Amino acid sequence: MSPETKRPIIVVTGFLGSGKTTLLRHVLTGQPAHGTAVLVNEFGEVGLDHHLVRRVDEQTILLNNGCVCCSVRDDLVRALSSLLDQDQRGTIARIDRLVVETTGLADPAPILFTIETDPMLRHHFRVDRVVVTVDAINGQRHLDRHAVSLKQVAVADDIIVTKTDLAPPATVSDLVARLRVLNPTAQFTTAVLGEVEPERILAPRHSRVLAGQQTAETTARDESEHIGETRSLALTFEQPLDWAAFSIWLSMLLYAHGEDVLRVKGLLNVGEAGPVVLNGVQHIIHAPEHLPQWPDADRRSHLILILQEIDPQQIVQSLQAFQHLLGAQLSSSDVRG
Amino acid sequence: MCVLCSQSLLVETHWTDRRTDAGEPVATAGNDRERQRRRDWQHRAQLLNHVLGHYGLSLDNWQNRHYVLSDRKGRSEIVTDLGTLWPAAAQLLGHPLDPLDPQLVEVLSGVHLAREGC
């Protein structure tokens, strides 16, 4: 089944009390939500009036390698398999997309791993995007005190800053500035009482193309910054990369340091008609997508890494050492240590 | 794993071997595709040996379907892709191979400089 025919899954996560359910309550009322099934981890105080809401208990099976991101959400496998079975037997209305709402303390990476690697689910579902809600009032404190909050932000494709009506404008702008540094690849919006255009959350995004464009735009800012132990690093290569060499380097890096590479996003020139779009979270890399054409005139390769516990300068030095294998030089003007 | 051809029966394709083109999965049948796959396979082995050599390891192509990873003590492991290579190499070495390893970086930088005639 091609990516276009797989059912998109939108993962909605965010720290405790950050407004996930309020957001969904707003988004799921109306025509755009037709054909949407929702999996929630807990029925909160704000009820979801939606015809296909299932509750799942977060049951994570840690695999032998002990890596938290590469663990299987058995509950999710069962719930998605059941929905798919009912959908195919016609006992429920056709499901066009799914929304998975996590608990506030959930690490989203196992959800991505489960859908990406399950022998059956991977052929029927794809993660379209990860939407993360961040509370404008308490967001900074959550980021300071809770590693899982940082992790949620790092893996986000969309960040919705909520409760902006309750926080001073300076607080909101400081938070957004911090979030942009933590995850320069995400798209940002603000919301009051969960009021976001439903299409923004539910419409198929063809996210990987947009992700690549976003990467290119962000890289132009030429920055490598850090807050605490989480840093983002934007890299640019002028010449086409040897894809085999790059995949050796990245797979080796992820094997040795995958848990500290919170996010990988890239738009790579590998000498083909179009770029390769790369998107990953820790050890989990989506199937690289080879686009038939470039989205714009920029033919450089852009790569963004969100790192914890790794000095970005080590990455730079490693890529410089690998450049004779990669067939491309890291553009030093685009990198700061 | 099949005892006759040693092909895994439940293959989970590593991300480095997965690709989609314009939203469609790439077909694997056809002579052209097979020839390209073999060229890619051999090219990757060449590249890998630049890295593995630093650790006293080597990789040999086996029927364009598997690699045989060996160390200088004569121990060897059959690997099918990069997803199985790195754990096998770590097993033989006793520690994971690390692209950030300063010694590896120095060695590979030296190769680069030597090639440029510096």
Side-chain angles (χ1 to χ4, degrees), chain A residues 2-3 116 122 242 247 251 253 255 257 288-290 318 321-324, chain B residues 12 15-16 18-23 43 86-87 98-99 105 108-109 112:
Chain A
S2 78
E116 191 71 23
R122 63 190 288 181
D242 183 314
S247 61
S251 64
L253 177 73
Y255 182 73
H257 298 284
E289 188 173 2
H290 294 240
S318 176
F322 272 74
Q323 66 187 19
H324 72 283
Chain B
E12 182 179 322
W15 68 264
T16 54
R18 293 173 66 191
R19 60 176 281 173
T20 56
D21 279 359
H43 174 56
W86 303 124
D98 183 355
V105 167
L108 291 179
S109 298
H112 171 60

PDB file of all heavy atoms in Angstrom, chain A residues 2-3 116 122 242 247 251 253 255 257 288-290 318 321-324, chain B residues 12 15-16 18-23 43 86-87 98-99 105 108-109 112:
ATOM      1  N   SER A   2       0.630   2.175  -0.896  1.00  0.00           N
ATOM      2  CA  SER A   2       1.484   3.348  -0.997  1.00  0.00           C
ATOM      3  C   SER A   2       1.181   4.309   0.151  1.00  0.00           C
ATOM      4  O   SER A   2       0.120   4.241   0.775  1.00  0.00           O
ATOM      5  CB  SER A   2       1.254   4.051  -2.327  1.00  0.00           C
ATOM      6  OG  SER A   2       0.059   4.795  -2.260  1.00  0.00           O
ATOM      7  N   PRO A   3       2.113   5.223   0.431  1.00  0.00           N
ATOM      8  CA  PRO A   3       1.875   6.184   1.506  1.00  0.00           C
ATOM      9  C   PRO A   3       0.595   6.973   1.311  1.00  0.00           C
ATOM     10  O   PRO A   3      -0.052   7.384   2.259  1.00  0.00           O
ATOM     11  CB  PRO A   3       3.112   7.086   1.438  1.00  0.00           C
ATOM     12  CG  PRO A   3       4.170   6.256   0.803  1.00  0.00           C
ATOM     13  CD  PRO A   3       3.442   5.357  -0.156  1.00  0.00           C
ATOM     14  N   GLU A 116       5.364   2.348  12.716  1.00  0.00           N
ATOM     15  CA  GLU A 116       6.370   2.219  11.658  1.00  0.00           C
ATOM     16  C   GLU A 116       6.868   0.782  11.501  1.00  0.00           C
ATOM     17  O   GLU A 116       7.289   0.381  10.427  1.00  0.00           O
ATOM     18  CB  GLU A 116       7.558   3.136  11.982  1.00  0.00           C
ATOM     19  CG  GLU A 116       8.548   3.319  10.867  1.00  0.00           C
ATOM     20  CD  GLU A 116       8.010   4.164   9.722  1.00  0.00           C
ATOM     21  OE1 GLU A 116       7.079   4.966   9.933  1.00  0.00           O
ATOM     22  OE2 GLU A 116       8.508   4.005   8.615  1.00  0.00           O
ATOM     23  N   ARG A 122       1.942  -1.191   9.662  1.00  0.00           N
ATOM     24  CA  ARG A 122       2.752  -0.321   8.808  1.00  0.00           C
ATOM     25  C   ARG A 122       2.256  -0.287   7.371  1.00  0.00           C
ATOM     26  O   ARG A 122       2.573   0.635   6.627  1.00  0.00           O
ATOM     27  CB  ARG A 122       4.214  -0.768   8.838  1.00  0.00           C
ATOM     28  CG  ARG A 122       4.411  -2.162   8.287  1.00  0.00           C
ATOM     29  CD  ARG A 122       5.795  -2.678   8.529  1.00  0.00           C
ATOM     30  NE  ARG A 122       6.783  -2.013   7.699  1.00  0.00           N
ATOM     31  CZ  ARG A 122       8.063  -2.307   7.706  1.00  0.00           C
ATOM     32  NH1 ARG A 122       8.520  -3.219   8.528  1.00  0.00           N
ATOM     33  NH2 ARG A 122       8.881  -1.686   6.903  1.00  0.00           N
ATOM     34  N   ASP A 242      26.465  11.426  -1.354  1.00  0.00           N
ATOM     35  CA  ASP A 242      26.366   9.999  -1.668  1.00  0.00           C
ATOM     36  C   ASP A 242      25.388   9.404  -0.660  1.00  0.00           C
ATOM     37  O   ASP A 242      25.671   9.334   0.532  1.00  0.00           O
ATOM     38  CB  ASP A 242      27.754   9.358  -1.535  1.00  0.00           C
ATOM     39  CG  ASP A 242      27.747   7.878  -1.917  1.00  0.00           C
ATOM     40  OD1 ASP A 242      26.829   7.159  -1.471  1.00  0.00           O
ATOM     41  OD2 ASP A 242      28.649   7.458  -2.647  1.00  0.00           O
ATOM     42  N   SER A 247      23.713   7.339   4.583  1.00  0.00           N
ATOM     43  CA  SER A 247      22.916   6.408   5.380  1.00  0.00           C
ATOM     44  C   SER A 247      23.808   5.560   6.298  1.00  0.00           C
ATOM     45  O   SER A 247      23.389   5.168   7.383  1.00  0.00           O
ATOM     46  CB  SER A 247      22.033   5.526   4.484  1.00  0.00           C
ATOM     47  OG  SER A 247      22.814   4.753   3.610  1.00  0.00           O
ATOM     48  N   SER A 251      23.005   5.928  10.216  1.00  0.00           N
ATOM     49  CA  SER A 251      22.610   4.705  10.925  1.00  0.00           C
ATOM     50  C   SER A 251      23.624   4.362  12.012  1.00  0.00           C
ATOM     51  O   SER A 251      23.266   3.875  13.088  1.00  0.00           O
ATOM     52  CB  SER A 251      22.442   3.537   9.950  1.00  0.00           C
ATOM     53  OG  SER A 251      23.662   3.213   9.320  1.00  0.00           O
ATOM     54  N   LEU A 253      25.458   6.623  13.608  1.00  0.00           N
ATOM     55  CA  LEU A 253      25.227   7.608  14.671  1.00  0.00           C
ATOM     56  C   LEU A 253      24.037   7.200  15.528  1.00  0.00           C
ATOM     57  O   LEU A 253      24.084   7.252  16.763  1.00  0.00           O
ATOM     58  CB  LEU A 253      24.973   8.989  14.052  1.00  0.00           C
ATOM     59  CG  LEU A 253      24.644  10.097  15.053  1.00  0.00           C
ATOM     60  CD1 LEU A 253      25.890  10.517  15.826  1.00  0.00           C
ATOM     61  CD2 LEU A 253      24.030  11.306  14.348  1.00  0.00           C
ATOM     62  N   TYR A 255      22.781   4.234  15.924  1.00  0.00           N
ATOM     63  CA  TYR A 255      23.035   3.029  16.718  1.00  0.00           C
ATOM     64  C   TYR A 255      23.797   3.391  17.993  1.00  0.00           C
ATOM     65  O   TYR A 255      23.515   2.874  19.073  1.00  0.00           O
ATOM     66  CB  TYR A 255      23.825   1.985  15.911  1.00  0.00           C
ATOM     67  CG  TYR A 255      24.039   0.728  16.712  1.00  0.00           C
ATOM     68  CD1 TYR A 255      22.989  -0.150  16.950  1.00  0.00           C
ATOM     69  CD2 TYR A 255      25.279   0.447  17.292  1.00  0.00           C
ATOM     70  CE1 TYR A 255      23.156  -1.273  17.735  1.00  0.00           C
ATOM     71  CE2 TYR A 255      25.457  -0.678  18.076  1.00  0.00           C
ATOM     72  CZ  TYR A 255      24.391  -1.542  18.286  1.00  0.00           C
ATOM     73  OH  TYR A 255      24.562  -2.652  19.075  1.00  0.00           O
ATOM     74  N   HIS A 257      24.150   6.587  19.331  1.00  0.00           N
ATOM     75  CA  HIS A 257      23.640   7.730  20.117  1.00  0.00           C
ATOM     76  C   HIS A 257      22.163   8.012  19.866  1.00  0.00           C
ATOM     77  O   HIS A 257      21.712   9.129  20.117  1.00  0.00           O
ATOM     78  CB  HIS A 257      24.427   9.006  19.752  1.00  0.00           C
ATOM     79  CG  HIS A 257      25.885   8.940  20.053  1.00  0.00           C
ATOM     80  ND1 HIS A 257      26.400   9.063  21.306  1.00  0.00           N
ATOM     81  CD2 HIS A 257      26.945   8.735  19.224  1.00  0.00           C
ATOM     82  CE1 HIS A 257      27.726   8.952  21.261  1.00  0.00           C
ATOM     83  NE2 HIS A 257      28.080   8.755  20.009  1.00  0.00           N
ATOM     84  N   PRO A 288      12.731   6.848   3.750  1.00  0.00           N
ATOM     85  CA  PRO A 288      13.108   8.076   3.034  1.00  0.00           C
ATOM     86  C   PRO A 288      12.289   8.220   1.757  1.00  0.00           C
ATOM     87  O   PRO A 288      12.099   7.255   1.015  1.00  0.00           O
ATOM     88  CB  PRO A 288      14.588   7.845   2.723  1.00  0.00           C
ATOM     89  CG  PRO A 288      15.047   6.864   3.754  1.00  0.00           C
ATOM     90  CD  PRO A 288      13.872   5.961   3.984  1.00  0.00           C
ATOM     91  N   GLU A 289      11.815   9.436   1.526  1.00  0.00           N
ATOM     92  CA  GLU A 289      10.960   9.667   0.366  1.00  0.00           C
ATOM     93  C   GLU A 289      11.759  10.386  -0.719  1.00  0.00           C
ATOM     94  O   GLU A 289      12.289  11.476  -0.494  1.00  0.00           O
ATOM     95  CB  GLU A 289       9.745  10.494   0.767  1.00  0.00           C
ATOM     96  CG  GLU A 289       8.725  10.607  -0.343  1.00  0.00           C
ATOM     97  CD  GLU A 289       7.443  11.292   0.110  1.00  0.00           C
ATOM     98  OE1 GLU A 289       7.364  11.716   1.267  1.00  0.00           O
ATOM     99  OE2 GLU A 289       6.529  11.407  -0.722  1.00  0.00           O
ATOM    100  N   HIS A 290      11.832   9.761  -1.878  1.00  0.00           N
ATOM    101  CA  HIS A 290      12.552  10.363  -3.002  1.00  0.00           C
ATOM    102  C   HIS A 290      11.544  11.147  -3.841  1.00  0.00           C
ATOM    103  O   HIS A 290      10.707  10.557  -4.515  1.00  0.00           O
ATOM    104  CB  HIS A 290      13.234   9.275  -3.847  1.00  0.00           C
ATOM    105  CG  HIS A 290      14.329   8.571  -3.103  1.00  0.00           C
ATOM    106  ND1 HIS A 290      15.648   8.564  -3.526  1.00  0.00           N
ATOM    107  CD2 HIS A 290      14.312   7.850  -1.955  1.00  0.00           C
ATOM    108  CE1 HIS A 290      16.382   7.865  -2.664  1.00  0.00           C
ATOM    109  NE2 HIS A 290      15.593   7.423  -1.710  1.00  0.00           N
ATOM    110  N   SER A 318      32.630  15.105  12.729  1.00  0.00           N
ATOM    111  CA  SER A 318      32.430  13.770  12.162  1.00  0.00           C
ATOM    112  C   SER A 318      32.037  13.865  10.689  1.00  0.00           C
ATOM    113  O   SER A 318      32.572  13.144   9.839  1.00  0.00           O
ATOM    114  CB  SER A 318      31.348  13.028  12.952  1.00  0.00           C
ATOM    115  OG  SER A 318      31.085  11.773  12.368  1.00  0.00           O
ATOM    116  N   ALA A 321      34.940  14.686   8.646  1.00  0.00           N
ATOM    117  CA  ALA A 321      35.822  13.523   8.459  1.00  0.00           C
ATOM    118  C   ALA A 321      35.250  12.557   7.426  1.00  0.00           C
ATOM    119  O   ALA A 321      35.994  11.905   6.699  1.00  0.00           O
ATOM    120  CB  ALA A 321      36.024  12.808   9.786  1.00  0.00           C
ATOM    121  N   PHE A 322      33.940  12.470   7.376  1.00  0.00           N
ATOM    122  CA  PHE A 322      33.282  11.549   6.449  1.00  0.00           C
ATOM    123  C   PHE A 322      33.119  12.155   5.047  1.00  0.00           C
ATOM    124  O   PHE A 322      32.592  11.493   4.152  1.00  0.00           O
ATOM    125  CB  PHE A 322      31.899  11.154   6.978  1.00  0.00           C
ATOM    126  CG  PHE A 322      31.896   9.954   7.884  1.00  0.00           C
ATOM    127  CD1 PHE A 322      32.376  10.041   9.181  1.00  0.00           C
ATOM    128  CD2 PHE A 322      31.423   8.722   7.443  1.00  0.00           C
ATOM    129  CE1 PHE A 322      32.375   8.939  10.033  1.00  0.00           C
ATOM    130  CE2 PHE A 322      31.426   7.608   8.277  1.00  0.00           C
ATOM    131  CZ  PHE A 322      31.901   7.715   9.578  1.00  0.00           C
ATOM    132  N   GLN A 323      33.560  13.387   4.854  1.00  0.00           N
ATOM    133  CA  GLN A 323      33.173  14.068   3.618  1.00  0.00           C
ATOM    134  C   GLN A 323      33.739  13.412   2.361  1.00  0.00           C
ATOM    135  O   GLN A 323      33.136  13.495   1.295  1.00  0.00           O
ATOM    136  CB  GLN A 323      33.536  15.542   3.664  1.00  0.00           C
ATOM    137  CG  GLN A 323      35.001  15.854   3.703  1.00  0.00           C
ATOM    138  CD  GLN A 323      35.233  17.361   3.911  1.00  0.00           C
ATOM    139  OE1 GLN A 323      34.336  18.072   4.358  1.00  0.00           O
ATOM    140  NE2 GLN A 323      36.422  17.820   3.568  1.00  0.00           N
ATOM    141  N   HIS A 324      34.886  12.718   2.499  1.00  0.00           N
ATOM    142  CA  HIS A 324      35.394  12.064   1.285  1.00  0.00           C
ATOM    143  C   HIS A 324      34.531  10.867   0.926  1.00  0.00           C
ATOM    144  O   HIS A 324      34.461  10.469  -0.229  1.00  0.00           O
ATOM    145  CB  HIS A 324      36.858  11.650   1.468  1.00  0.00           C
ATOM    146  CG  HIS A 324      37.053  10.484   2.383  1.00  0.00           C
ATOM    147  ND1 HIS A 324      36.978  10.585   3.743  1.00  0.00           N
ATOM    148  CD2 HIS A 324      37.326   9.187   2.105  1.00  0.00           C
ATOM    149  CE1 HIS A 324      37.189   9.404   4.281  1.00  0.00           C
ATOM    150  NE2 HIS A 324      37.404   8.530   3.320  1.00  0.00           N
TER     151      HIS A 324
ATOM    152  N   GLU B  12      12.370  -7.593   7.930  1.00  0.00           N
ATOM    153  CA  GLU B  12      11.933  -6.233   8.217  1.00  0.00           C
ATOM    154  C   GLU B  12      12.961  -5.312   7.585  1.00  0.00           C
ATOM    155  O   GLU B  12      14.110  -5.252   8.002  1.00  0.00           O
ATOM    156  CB  GLU B  12      11.861  -6.000   9.715  1.00  0.00           C
ATOM    157  CG  GLU B  12      11.358  -4.615  10.050  1.00  0.00           C
ATOM    158  CD  GLU B  12      11.259  -4.384  11.537  1.00  0.00           C
ATOM    159  OE1 GLU B  12      10.886  -5.314  12.258  1.00  0.00           O
ATOM    160  OE2 GLU B  12      11.559  -3.265  11.962  1.00  0.00           O
ATOM    161  N   TRP B  15      15.549   1.017   7.381  1.00  0.00           N
ATOM    162  CA  TRP B  15      15.170   2.281   6.723  1.00  0.00           C
ATOM    163  C   TRP B  15      16.143   2.649   5.615  1.00  0.00           C
ATOM    164  O   TRP B  15      15.761   3.321   4.647  1.00  0.00           O
ATOM    165  CB  TRP B  15      15.035   3.408   7.748  1.00  0.00           C
ATOM    166  CG  TRP B  15      16.297   3.871   8.421  1.00  0.00           C
ATOM    167  CD1 TRP B  15      16.766   3.457   9.630  1.00  0.00           C
ATOM    168  CD2 TRP B  15      17.237   4.835   7.945  1.00  0.00           C
ATOM    169  NE1 TRP B  15      17.944   4.096   9.923  1.00  0.00           N
ATOM    170  CE2 TRP B  15      18.258   4.955   8.920  1.00  0.00           C
ATOM    171  CE3 TRP B  15      17.321   5.624   6.795  1.00  0.00           C
ATOM    172  CZ2 TRP B  15      19.346   5.810   8.771  1.00  0.00           C
ATOM    173  CZ3 TRP B  15      18.398   6.478   6.652  1.00  0.00           C
ATOM    174  CH2 TRP B  15      19.398   6.570   7.630  1.00  0.00           C
ATOM    175  N   THR B  16      17.405   2.244   5.742  1.00  0.00           N
ATOM    176  CA  THR B  16      18.375   2.601   4.706  1.00  0.00           C
ATOM    177  C   THR B  16      18.116   1.849   3.396  1.00  0.00           C
ATOM    178  O   THR B  16      18.667   2.206   2.361  1.00  0.00           O
ATOM    179  CB  THR B  16      19.804   2.302   5.184  1.00  0.00           C
ATOM    180  OG1 THR B  16      19.867   0.930   5.610  1.00  0.00           O
ATOM    181  CG2 THR B  16      20.205   3.191   6.339  1.00  0.00           C
ATOM    182  N   ARG B  18      14.838   1.170   2.559  1.00  0.00           N
ATOM    183  CA  ARG B  18      13.455   1.490   2.203  1.00  0.00           C
ATOM    184  C   ARG B  18      13.438   2.816   1.487  1.00  0.00           C
ATOM    185  O   ARG B  18      14.189   3.727   1.810  1.00  0.00           O
ATOM    186  CB  ARG B  18      12.571   1.586   3.451  1.00  0.00           C
ATOM    187  CG  ARG B  18      12.385   0.280   4.168  1.00  0.00           C
ATOM    188  CD  ARG B  18      11.640   0.497   5.460  1.00  0.00           C
ATOM    189  NE  ARG B  18      10.282   0.942   5.232  1.00  0.00           N
ATOM    190  CZ  ARG B  18       9.500   1.407   6.201  1.00  0.00           C
ATOM    191  NH1 ARG B  18       9.939   1.505   7.416  1.00  0.00           N
ATOM    192  NH2 ARG B  18       8.268   1.783   5.915  1.00  0.00           N
ATOM    193  N   ARG B  19      12.587   2.938   0.517  1.00  0.00           N
ATOM    194  CA  ARG B  19      12.389   4.226  -0.128  1.00  0.00           C
ATOM    195  C   ARG B  19      11.036   4.242  -0.810  1.00  0.00           C
ATOM    196  O   ARG B  19      10.488   3.214  -1.175  1.00  0.00           O
ATOM    197  CB  ARG B  19      13.484   4.537  -1.148  1.00  0.00           C
ATOM    198  CG  ARG B  19      13.603   3.539  -2.280  1.00  0.00           C
ATOM    199  CD  ARG B  19      14.636   3.972  -3.279  1.00  0.00           C
ATOM    200  NE  ARG B  19      14.137   4.994  -4.168  1.00  0.00           N
ATOM    201  CZ  ARG B  19      14.889   5.636  -5.052  1.00  0.00           C
ATOM    202  NH1 ARG B  19      16.173   5.377  -5.144  1.00  0.00           N
ATOM    203  NH2 ARG B  19      14.372   6.541  -5.845  1.00  0.00           N
ATOM    204  N   THR B  20      10.508   5.432  -0.931  1.00  0.00           N
ATOM    205  CA  THR B  20       9.293   5.605  -1.714  1.00  0.00           C
ATOM    206  C   THR B  20       9.593   6.655  -2.764  1.00  0.00           C
ATOM    207  O   THR B  20      10.342   7.593  -2.528  1.00  0.00           O
ATOM    208  CB  THR B  20       8.114   6.068  -0.841  1.00  0.00           C
ATOM    209  OG1 THR B  20       8.489   7.273  -0.176  1.00  0.00           O
ATOM    210  CG2 THR B  20       7.744   5.022   0.189  1.00  0.00           C
ATOM    211  N   ASP B  21       9.042   6.472  -3.916  1.00  0.00           N
ATOM    212  CA  ASP B  21       9.218   7.446  -4.996  1.00  0.00           C
ATOM    213  C   ASP B  21       7.880   8.092  -5.297  1.00  0.00           C
ATOM    214  O   ASP B  21       6.935   7.400  -5.658  1.00  0.00           O
ATOM    215  CB  ASP B  21       9.723   6.766  -6.274  1.00  0.00           C
ATOM    216  CG  ASP B  21      11.215   6.534  -6.219  1.00  0.00           C
ATOM    217  OD1 ASP B  21      11.833   6.920  -5.213  1.00  0.00           O
ATOM    218  OD2 ASP B  21      11.752   5.954  -7.170  1.00  0.00           O
ATOM    219  N   ALA B  22       7.810   9.377  -5.140  1.00  0.00           N
ATOM    220  CA  ALA B  22       6.599  10.141  -5.474  1.00  0.00           C
ATOM    221  C   ALA B  22       5.366   9.506  -4.849  1.00  0.00           C
ATOM    222  O   ALA B  22       4.322   9.412  -5.462  1.00  0.00           O
ATOM    223  CB  ALA B  22       6.421  10.229  -6.986  1.00  0.00           C
ATOM    224  N   GLY B  23       5.536   9.031  -3.642  1.00  0.00           N
ATOM    225  CA  GLY B  23       4.401   8.467  -2.936  1.00  0.00           C
ATOM    226  C   GLY B  23       4.130   7.015  -3.249  1.00  0.00           C
ATOM    227  O   GLY B  23       3.267   6.407  -2.668  1.00  0.00           O
ATOM    228  N   HIS B  43      28.771  -0.998  -3.717  1.00  0.00           N
ATOM    229  CA  HIS B  43      29.256   0.339  -3.372  1.00  0.00           C
ATOM    230  C   HIS B  43      29.209   0.550  -1.862  1.00  0.00           C
ATOM    231  O   HIS B  43      30.155   1.059  -1.249  1.00  0.00           O
ATOM    232  CB  HIS B  43      28.394   1.380  -4.095  1.00  0.00           C
ATOM    233  CG  HIS B  43      28.703   2.797  -3.723  1.00  0.00           C
ATOM    234  ND1 HIS B  43      29.962   3.347  -3.845  1.00  0.00           N
ATOM    235  CD2 HIS B  43      27.901   3.786  -3.216  1.00  0.00           C
ATOM    236  CE1 HIS B  43      29.935   4.604  -3.437  1.00  0.00           C
ATOM    237  NE2 HIS B  43      28.703   4.891  -3.053  1.00  0.00           N
ATOM    238  N   TRP B  86      25.553  -3.011  12.561  1.00  0.00           N
ATOM    239  CA  TRP B  86      26.129  -2.309  13.721  1.00  0.00           C
ATOM    240  C   TRP B  86      26.060  -3.130  14.988  1.00  0.00           C
ATOM    241  O   TRP B  86      27.053  -3.164  15.748  1.00  0.00           O
ATOM    242  CB  TRP B  86      25.472  -0.934  13.886  1.00  0.00           C
ATOM    243  CG  TRP B  86      25.592  -0.059  12.666  1.00  0.00           C
ATOM    244  CD1 TRP B  86      24.597   0.526  11.967  1.00  0.00           C
ATOM    245  CD2 TRP B  86      26.807   0.314  11.960  1.00  0.00           C
ATOM    246  NE1 TRP B  86      25.083   1.224  10.887  1.00  0.00           N
ATOM    247  CE2 TRP B  86      26.431   1.115  10.874  1.00  0.00           C
ATOM    248  CE3 TRP B  86      28.154   0.035  12.154  1.00  0.00           C
ATOM    249  CZ2 TRP B  86      27.362   1.653   9.973  1.00  0.00           C
ATOM    250  CZ3 TRP B  86      29.088   0.563  11.263  1.00  0.00           C
ATOM    251  CH2 TRP B  86      28.688   1.354  10.198  1.00  0.00           C
ATOM    252  N   PRO B  87      24.953  -3.831  15.278  1.00  0.00           N
ATOM    253  CA  PRO B  87      24.963  -4.698  16.469  1.00  0.00           C
ATOM    254  C   PRO B  87      25.988  -5.825  16.355  1.00  0.00           C
ATOM    255  O   PRO B  87      26.646  -6.173  17.338  1.00  0.00           O
ATOM    256  CB  PRO B  87      23.532  -5.259  16.514  1.00  0.00           C
ATOM    257  CG  PRO B  87      22.712  -4.305  15.733  1.00  0.00           C
ATOM    258  CD  PRO B  87      23.603  -3.752  14.670  1.00  0.00           C
ATOM    259  N   ASP B  98      31.287   4.173  16.670  1.00  0.00           N
ATOM    260  CA  ASP B  98      30.737   5.497  16.910  1.00  0.00           C
ATOM    261  C   ASP B  98      31.324   6.483  15.897  1.00  0.00           C
ATOM    262  O   ASP B  98      32.533   6.699  15.867  1.00  0.00           O
ATOM    263  CB  ASP B  98      31.098   5.920  18.341  1.00  0.00           C
ATOM    264  CG  ASP B  98      30.514   7.265  18.723  1.00  0.00           C
ATOM    265  OD1 ASP B  98      29.909   7.926  17.858  1.00  0.00           O
ATOM    266  OD2 ASP B  98      30.671   7.657  19.897  1.00  0.00           O
ATOM    267  N   PRO B  99      30.482   7.100  15.084  1.00  0.00           N
ATOM    268  CA  PRO B  99      31.022   8.065  14.105  1.00  0.00           C
ATOM    269  C   PRO B  99      31.587   9.321  14.761  1.00  0.00           C
ATOM    270  O   PRO B  99      32.257  10.095  14.092  1.00  0.00           O
ATOM    271  CB  PRO B  99      29.804   8.407  13.235  1.00  0.00           C
ATOM    272  CG  PRO B  99      28.635   8.154  14.104  1.00  0.00           C
ATOM    273  CD  PRO B  99      29.013   7.015  15.009  1.00  0.00           C
ATOM    274  N   VAL B 105      37.430   9.765  13.660  1.00  0.00           N
ATOM    275  CA  VAL B 105      37.371  11.063  12.983  1.00  0.00           C
ATOM    276  C   VAL B 105      38.758  11.465  12.496  1.00  0.00           C
ATOM    277  O   VAL B 105      38.939  11.922  11.355  1.00  0.00           O
ATOM    278  CB  VAL B 105      36.772  12.135  13.933  1.00  0.00           C
ATOM    279  CG1 VAL B 105      36.992  13.541  13.388  1.00  0.00           C
ATOM    280  CG2 VAL B 105      35.290  11.875  14.155  1.00  0.00           C
ATOM    281  N   LEU B 108      39.789   9.132   9.510  1.00  0.00           N
ATOM    282  CA  LEU B 108      39.080   9.453   8.270  1.00  0.00           C
ATOM    283  C   LEU B 108      39.472  10.831   7.746  1.00  0.00           C
ATOM    284  O   LEU B 108      39.545  11.040   6.537  1.00  0.00           O
ATOM    285  CB  LEU B 108      37.566   9.380   8.494  1.00  0.00           C
ATOM    286  CG  LEU B 108      37.004   7.972   8.732  1.00  0.00           C
ATOM    287  CD1 LEU B 108      35.498   8.036   8.970  1.00  0.00           C
ATOM    288  CD2 LEU B 108      37.299   7.038   7.567  1.00  0.00           C
ATOM    289  N   SER B 109      39.747  11.749   8.644  1.00  0.00           N
ATOM    290  CA  SER B 109      40.216  13.068   8.204  1.00  0.00           C
ATOM    291  C   SER B 109      41.568  12.936   7.521  1.00  0.00           C
ATOM    292  O   SER B 109      41.845  13.618   6.521  1.00  0.00           O
ATOM    293  CB  SER B 109      40.342  14.018   9.395  1.00  0.00           C
ATOM    294  OG  SER B 109      39.097  14.207  10.000  1.00  0.00           O
ATOM    295  N   HIS B 112      41.176  11.744   4.074  1.00  0.00           N
ATOM    296  CA  HIS B 112      40.689  12.851   3.251  1.00  0.00           C
ATOM    297  C   HIS B 112      41.847  13.755   2.841  1.00  0.00           C
ATOM    298  O   HIS B 112      42.003  14.106   1.675  1.00  0.00           O
ATOM    299  CB  HIS B 112      39.642  13.631   4.050  1.00  0.00           C
ATOM    300  CG  HIS B 112      39.236  14.901   3.408  1.00  0.00           C
ATOM    301  ND1 HIS B 112      38.665  14.936   2.137  1.00  0.00           N
ATOM    302  CD2 HIS B 112      39.316  16.195   3.818  1.00  0.00           C
ATOM    303  CE1 HIS B 112      38.414  16.189   1.835  1.00  0.00           C
ATOM    304  NE2 HIS B 112      38.794  16.966   2.820  1.00  0.00           N
TER     305      HIS B 112
END
